[in-house]
């Protein structure tokens, strides 16, 4: 079968780009250990406010420089609205939604979650630079969406 040389070149380039993308993905997963933030557990969104740990959202120190933040998203706020931890803290966020789908993104970090009612999502961030980081809802969730945010204060 005759394949035109331009077509052969395009096929070769396509194979090369696929190989580069595959190698980048393998490097990311096997060497850098990057993972998609997955669901941690299931909860009933209608009763989540009464069930631990979401009946008492807030910050808990779990080690010399590690903290657990339990957070509830609802139309149109996060509970708690502000958390404060020292610089160089590693913070594990455990978050769920009590009503509709919300987003969770922290300015200047890799933290980016979908908050789906019934699902607990988790991500971990180490904050080295002092300052106030905005935590925003980035999934349209109704009339008050644009005002749905919280603050993370690193001291
Ligand atoms: Cu919550 Cu947008």
């Amino acid at each position: 079968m005759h394949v035109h040389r331009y077509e052969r070149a395009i096929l070769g380039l396509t194979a090369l780009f696929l190989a580069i993308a595959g190698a980048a993905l393998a490097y990311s997963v096997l060497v850098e250990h990057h993972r998609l933030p997955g669901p941690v557990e299931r909860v009933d969104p209608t009763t989540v406010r009464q069930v631990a740990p979401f009946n008492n959202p807030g910050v808990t120190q779990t080690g010399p420089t590690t903290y657990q933040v339990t957070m509830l998203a609802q139309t149109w706020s996060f509970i708690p609205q502000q958390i404060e931890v020292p610089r160089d803290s590693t913070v594990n966020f455990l978050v769920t939604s009590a009503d509709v789908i919300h987003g969770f993104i922290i300015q200047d970090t890799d933290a980016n979650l979908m908050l789906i009612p019934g699902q607990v999502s988790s991500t971990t961030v180490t904050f080295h630079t002092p300052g106030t980081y905005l935590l925003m809802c980035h999934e349209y969730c109704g009339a008050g969406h644009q005002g749905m945010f919280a603050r993370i204060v690193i001291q």
Side-chain angles (χ1 to χ4, degrees):
M1 184 180 71
H2 175 73
V3 179
H4 192 277
R5 62 190 170 104
Y6 288 165
E7 199 166 356
R8 202 164 32 229
I10 292 295
L11 285 170
L13 273 177
T14 304
L16 177 68
F17 285 133
L18 279 175
I20 291 170
L25 181 64
Y27 180 84
S28 166
V29 172
L30 300 174
V31 181
E32 300 271 321
H33 303 291
H34 291 159
R35 296 286 183 277
L36 286 175
V40 179
E41 59 177 303
R42 304 280 170 191
V43 288
D44 180 349
T46 60
T47 58
V48 71
R49 295 169 199 277
Q50 284 86 50
V51 179
F54 295 101
N55 58 350
N56 189 22
V59 187
T60 310
Q61 188 161 10
T62 53
T65 61
T66 56
Y67 294 83
Q68 168 89 51
V69 170
T70 306
M71 188 171 264
L72 204 57
Q74 60 182 17
T75 48
W76 290 284
S77 62
F78 292 97
I79 306 170
Q81 294 248 284
Q82 180 164 318
I83 66 158
E84 295 170 21
V85 292
R87 68 185 297 181
D88 298 325
S89 296
T90 298
V91 182
N92 176 247
F93 293 89
L94 209 58
V95 198
T96 192
S97 166
D99 40 46
V100 300
I101 295 178
H102 296 282
F104 176 104
I105 191 165
I106 303 174
Q107 165 197 9
D108 298 331
T109 72
D110 292 338
N112 184 344
L113 299 172
M114 289 293 288
L115 306 177
I116 299 165
Q119 174 180 303
V120 179
S121 299
S122 178
T123 190
T124 301
V125 183
T126 301
F127 295 93
H128 294 295
T129 311
T132 299
Y133 294 72
L134 268 185
L135 187 176
M136 290 161 284
C137 176
H138 66 333
E139 184 69 28
Y140 182 71
C141 56
H145 161 72
Q146 75 284 351
M148 183 171 172
F149 66 93
R151 287 190 177 91
I152 300 166
V153 179
I154 306 300
Q155 292 156 334

